[in-house]
Amino acid sequence: MLLIISGLLVGCSALAVSRDQLGQTLSIESLKYLPEEVSETSGLALFGGYLWTINDSGGKDAVYAFGAQDYEFEKRIKIGGSKNIDWEALAQTDKHLFIADCGNNKGKRKTLDIYKVSWEKLIKAKDKEKVTAKKISFQYTDRGEDDPGKEHNYDCEALTVVGEKLWLFTKNRGDLQSRLYVLNAKKSQQAVRSTVTLPVSGLITAADYNQKTGKLVLLGYQKASVFGQSFIWIIDVKSDLPVWESARYHTILPYGQWEAVIWQDDKTLLLTSEKSPLGTQQVGRLRLSD
C-alpha cells in the first residue's frame, strides 16, 4: 500500500514538471537528531569546523554552532543589534555570515532585514557571548500596496551568495513560483525588483550556491500538507543568472519539513528539518549521483 501511495505522489509531481527536467527520487540519510533548542532549525552555514543554524520566528536572536563532523552542540552566540521576527535563512562568504529575517507568512511585512556578522568574531566567541551585527534593510518595489491575503507571493525563506551578491528567493503560495531578488551585500538600505521568476511548482524553503561548480540548489515542498512531497531543483548559473533550461527536479524522501540546505561538497548536500507532525528536528545528508 505504501508503495502505491509513493508512486502516486511521484506521479503527481511529474504533472507540474516537464519530462526532460524530471530527475531521480533521492533518499536522505538521517545523520543525527538535533536538540530541542533548535527544533525550528531554518538555515545552514558551514565555517570554521562548525555547522551553523538558526531558529525561525519566535526563536532567540542567536546562531547555534554544531560540530561539522559529529553534529554535537558546541555553542550559542547571541546576535547583538538584531531581532528575530522571522529568521528563515543563512548565507555566507569567506568573511561574513548573513542571517535573513525575511519570513512573511501573512504577506504584510513591507520592510525586511538581513543581518551581517563577522566570521572572525563568531569563531572567537564563546558559548552565550554576544556578537554585534550590521543590518541590511530592503523592500520589494514590485509588490502591491493592498493586503495580499492568505494566498500571496511575498513570503521568503531562501538566501544564498552568488559572486559578491545576495540572492533571495521568494516562497509563492499564490502561484507556486519563485522570484529572484539580487541584493548588494554592502548597502544598508535597498529597494529591489525581481530579476527573474522561476516556475518551481512548489514552495521554496532554502537555497545554496556552489561557487566552484556553478550549481544552485533550491529546496522546497509541494503545497499539499498531507499528501505533498519534498523536492530539490539543481540549476546551472551562468552570466549571473539561473539557467532554467538546465534545471533538474528530484523528489526527496522521506517527506518532512526540510527547511535548510547547504553543499557539503560537489556531490553532497546537508539538510535540516524542523520538528513537525512529519518528524523531529534532524540533520540529514543527500548524495547526488549526477
Side-chain angles (χ1 to χ4, degrees), residues 13 26 32 34 82-83 91 107 123 127 129 219 230 247 252 269:
S13 72
L26 304 173
K32 194 175 186 66
L34 296 174
S82 73
K83 183 178 181 180
I123 296 298
D127 184 34
E129 286 190 347
L219 171 68
S230 302
I252 57 174
L269 297 165

Side-chain angles (χ1 to χ4, degrees), residues 90-92 159-165 167 169 206-218 235-242 261-265 269:
L90 295 177
Q92 65 187 92
L159 178 74
T160 190
V161 174
V162 179
E164 297 182 354
K165 300 293 185 179
W167 281 24
F169 293 89
D208 193 43
Y209 177 66
N210 187 321
Q211 303 277 358
K212 178 182 175 182
T213 64
K215 299 286 187 182
L216 171 73
V217 58
L218 298 179
I235 310 167
D236 291 335
V237 173
K238 295 181 180 178
S239 302
D240 296 324
L241 282 174
V261 67
I262 191 167
W263 291 99
Q264 186 180 37
D265 59 42
L269 297 165

